[in-house]
Amino acid sequence: MGEKRIYLASPHMGGCEESFVKNAFETNWIAPLGPHVDGFEKEVASLVGIKSAAALYSGTAAIHMALKYLNVSKGDIVFCSSLTFSASCNPIIYEGAIPIFIDSELNSWNMCPEALSQAFEECEKNNILPKAVVVVNLYGQSADFDKITEICNKYKVPIIEDAAESLGAKYKGKYSGTIGEFGVYSFNGNKIITTSGGGMIVSNNEVAIKKIKFWSTQARDSERYYQHSELGYNYRLSNVLAGIGRGQLQVLNQRISQKKHIYETYRKQFSDIEEIEMMPIAKYGEPNYWLSVITLKEWSKVKPIDIILELEKENIEARLVWKPMHLQPYYYKNKFYSTKNHNESIAEDIFNRGICLPSDTKMTEEILLKVIQVIKNQFNR
Ligand SMILES: *Cc1c(COP(=O)(O)O)cnc(C)c1O
């Protein structure tokens, strides 16, 4: 990555990562697996308070393995948040199943319990229930799990918590990723901590995690020769990358405070601009503030793209909010349940009016204020 450009979120090493990597080199534990992988799994599990974890090469692989464990297969349906990154639902297709998308609610922009209920009711009428529900914790904030869990429990359908963006966030005191049957984290380069690329699946179901580790290392039976009774995958994280992860974990809390400071600075600085609203923070939890996101009021003369282009002139990256899955050309034909009494979908409305602002923890205060000034200039402030 270039030095001059200001990013939405880019890798930010804490200082200890290299010594973990050096140790991997010194012991020639470059691959496969190894002590850093074990250490990284234990450290994440103990941080979030869950029984077991498997380090994988991506968050996408982690979602795939969760779906496979829940026996999602050809012709099944799976509910998934619509307002998210495509990796939340692509693995549903890998298994030959069909995603059905659920709208957002205004409180947190996450899966709307009402729309979820409606989807369940209709599917039940048609005598088909989803095999799983993928609930995304968007931009570092938890969905409203009390309500969502109650609905899913009623139909006895397990939740996969896509916490790729929300490591370290909390919902009513519980760590994000620990509420569903499975939780999924990503350590991709833009996430709150990174291993350059990587992911993790966590669960209190130790049997499940053991099985997922087996599938993720090519499903080799315990024989002297290579024997396979099941379909395998090459999905495990390398020992070198897990070393980076262990170093990054040491600065997770620091990154969260820095991200929160960025969010709070935007909030204060924009408080007198009527056109701008910050992404809402629901009272039930504490986000990790991964990205600071704003929406512009419908009547605003300045549009999201104007701000993005203006920042681009200064070599500053800003982006539109995730384009909802139900609007994607690839998923256009899939069913979508929108929140009632809302003309267009809430997810679509957020997409039309939202902007992800630079939230890189390497930004100095001076640079952050410069970003803010470029935006304020758009509103003649
Ligand atoms: C990043 C991300 C993923 C995928 O994680 P990778 O490690 O990049 O495969 C999944 N879901 C969401 C919501 C994400 O933001």
Side-chain angles (χ1 to χ4, degrees), residues 57-61 63 83-88 136-139 162-165 184-191 197-199 290 322:
Y57 82 49
S58 70
T60 312
I63 296 172
L83 188 59
T84 185
F85 178 54
S86 62
S88 301
V136 180
N137 297 323
L138 202 67
Y139 297 129
D162 181 351
E165 302 174 358
V184 166
Y185 301 121
S186 166
F187 309 114
N188 189 40
N190 60 348
K191 299 295 171 8
W290 173 55
W322 298 127

Side-chain angles (χ1 to χ4, degrees), residues 308-321:
I308 290 170
L309 292 177
E310 210 51 36
L311 288 167
E312 197 54 57
K313 282 186 196 157
E314 307 284 334
N315 206 11
I316 301 167
E317 181 188 34
R319 291 203 187 175
L320 296 175
V321 165

Side-chain angles (χ1 to χ4, degrees), residues 323-358:
K323 181 175 180 177
M325 289 304 114
H326 74 280
L327 299 177
Q328 296 290 344
Y330 186 80
Y331 288 114
Y332 207 79
K333 292 195 177 124
N334 289 59
K335 223 171 160 24
F336 167 69
Y337 286 89
S338 87
T339 302
K340 268 186 211 150
N341 306 327
H342 209 266
N343 298 339
E344 53 183 340
S345 78
I346 289 179
E348 185 171 1
D349 181 36
I350 294 168
F351 168 63
N352 287 332
R353 299 189 295 110
I355 315 164
C356 300
L357 296 179

Side-chain angles (χ1 to χ4, degrees), residues 16-36:
C16 292
E17 295 84 358
E18 266 185 295
S19 70
F20 284 102
V21 172
K22 195 157 170 265
N23 167 277
F25 273 73
E26 279 165 4
T27 54
N28 199 35
W29 223 315
I30 309 300
L33 299 170
H36 285 333

